[in-house]
Amino acid sequence: MSQPESAVAEAQGGGRAPESLAALAERHGLRRAIARPSMPAYLRQLWDRRHFILTYATSRNVSKYSESMLGQLWQVLTPLLNAAVYWLMFGVILGQSKSIHNYPAFLITGVMVFTFTQRTVISGAKSISSNLSLIRALHFPRASLPLAYTMQELQQLGYSMGVLLLLVLVTGEPITWLWLLVPVTLAMQTVFNIGLGLFMARVGAFMRDMNQLLPFITRTWLYASGVFYAIDDKTRELPDILRWVLEFNPAAAYIEFMRDLLIYQRFPERWAWVTCVFWAVFAVIVGFWYFWRAEERYGRG
């Protein structure tokens, strides 16, 4: 190599191979603008945004029915109208009300509890794809969005639970000390919904066809969750493994737990506690980890 060429090479790289941009940035302490933080750091960021999450959920609830004449009443009327249709089909036409104690309360409890999870799944799947402009404009932990959507559904459930308790009383069931466990049931289901909502948020963000499939998936889940019928009575002739799958279904577990407290006036059995706690813990751990793993990918493309 001639002397001028050697001088140029030395000036450009000091006689060494050119350094990559990534190595150069790391050597000078630079980091990616959008990078996945560690799990503890991510949890701290979410805690710091807790007021944003609650405010965003409340504002969505207020604006959702702002243009309708009945406004927030639709939060209660929608599940009640669904329950009325199901009561006509399954209670009257198919005769389920003849074999189930207090079928109106049985049905309404199932509809209210299942609707909470169903709506969380559907809204969670859209929480990222529906807020791309917000994600691209601001830096915040993306899990704030599916968490806010779950809190929104929990707020709506508050109205529905008030109506449910009133209807249970009207249909002849007494108030017992077991009603004190209703918030415990809702807490376990909410934790489960948070995990499932986070899981579906990532799926919905990268698999857009999921929004078209979800109505069919949730409808199948509805029919398999004992909302209209007692699983014990209708599955006696099924194989043991299929019966176990239906009974271990998380939606069915939370529904039966709530019915034990409100209708049957009995303390839930140990298997019911184990099932409900298991699904809550499993869903929130797996869902949160699965969502966090793709944190830096949301809003790209």
Side-chain angles (χ1 to χ4, degrees):
M1 180 182 294
S2 65
Q3 185 173 0
E5 291 174 343
S6 177
V8 171
E10 184 175 356
Q12 290 180 343
R16 296 172 298 179
E19 188 175 15
S20 69
L21 291 177
L24 181 65
E26 183 177 359
R27 183 159 58 87
H28 289 278
L30 301 180
R31 298 291 184 269
R32 286 187 300 169
I34 301 177
R36 184 179 71 236
S38 65
M39 181 69 76
Y42 196 66
L43 289 172
R44 288 194 297 269
Q45 291 176 14
L46 283 174
W47 176 251
D48 292 340
R49 270 87 172 173
R50 62 190 184 278
H51 300 298
F52 162 74
I53 294 172
L54 293 176
T55 302
Y56 186 66
T58 303
S59 63
R60 281 185 55 84
N61 258 332
V62 172
S63 62
K64 185 174 183 178
Y65 302 104
S66 59
E67 297 182 359
S68 62
M69 184 179 299
L70 297 179
Q72 299 299 315
L73 284 177
W74 282 112
Q75 296 187 21
V76 176
L77 289 177
T78 300
L80 285 179
L81 290 174
N82 286 333
V85 173
Y86 297 145
W87 176 79
L88 177 63
M89 292 299 299
F90 293 91
V92 177
I93 298 178
L94 297 180
Q96 289 292 316
S97 59
K98 298 177 182 178
S99 59
I100 296 178
H101 167 71
N102 196 350
Y103 189 72
F106 176 95
L107 177 62
I108 294 170
T109 301
V111 170
M112 295 288 191
V113 173
F114 184 83
T115 299
F116 178 32
T117 295
Q118 179 187 41
R119 291 172 64 162
T120 301
V121 169
I122 294 175
S123 62
K126 300 176 182 179
S127 60
I128 298 298
S129 58
S130 299
N131 292 281
L132 291 179
S133 58
L134 180 63
I135 291 173
R136 290 166 179 168
L138 299 174
H139 178 67
F140 62 95
R142 309 314 188 195
S144 300
L145 294 173
L147 284 174
Y149 278 63
T150 303
M151 292 300 103
Q152 177 190 356
E153 298 303 332
L154 180 61
Q155 291 175 356
Q156 293 190 9
L157 181 67
Y159 297 97
S160 300
M161 285 303 301
V163 175
L164 172 60
L165 296 177
L166 179 61
L167 291 175
V168 169
L169 288 174
V170 170
T171 55
E173 304 299 337
I175 298 178
T176 68
W177 71 269
L178 292 170
W179 285 34
L180 296 175
L181 294 177
V182 169
V184 177
T185 314
L186 296 180
M188 292 188 293
Q189 187 183 7
T190 300
V191 173
F192 169 76
N193 287 356
I194 287 173
L196 190 57
L198 287 166
F199 185 90
M200 293 306 303
R202 176 174 172 177
V203 174
F206 302 116
M207 183 180 174
R208 301 302 172 84
D209 290 339
M210 179 55 64
N211 291 327
Q212 307 302 321
L213 294 173
L214 269 181
F216 302 99
I217 296 174
T218 55
R219 191 175 303 127
T220 303
W221 195 11
L222 171 71
Y223 293 138
S225 298
V227 174
F228 320 114
Y229 59 89
I231 292 181
D232 290 342
D233 294 337
K234 297 298 182 181
T235 59
R236 291 176 180 174
E237 299 181 359
L238 295 178
D240 291 341
I241 183 63
L242 183 56
R243 183 175 181 177
W244 181 85
V245 169
L246 291 174
E247 292 178 348
F248 196 61
N249 169 5
Y254 293 118
I255 290 171
E256 289 303 314
F257 201 101
M258 188 69 76
R259 284 171 177 163
D260 282 345
L261 302 178
L262 299 181
I263 302 174
Y264 303 129
Q265 293 96 47
R266 65 190 181 197
F267 192 80
E269 298 179 3
R270 183 171 61 180
W271 73 265
W273 283 95
V274 171
T275 302
C276 291
V277 171
F278 167 80
W279 279 118
V281 174
F282 177 81
V284 77
I285 291 176
V286 173
F288 192 88
W289 176 84
Y290 182 68
F291 183 91
W292 167 77
R293 290 285 297 173
E295 173 70 13
E296 71 276 14
R297 295 170 53 196
Y298 301 122
R300 297 205 172 177

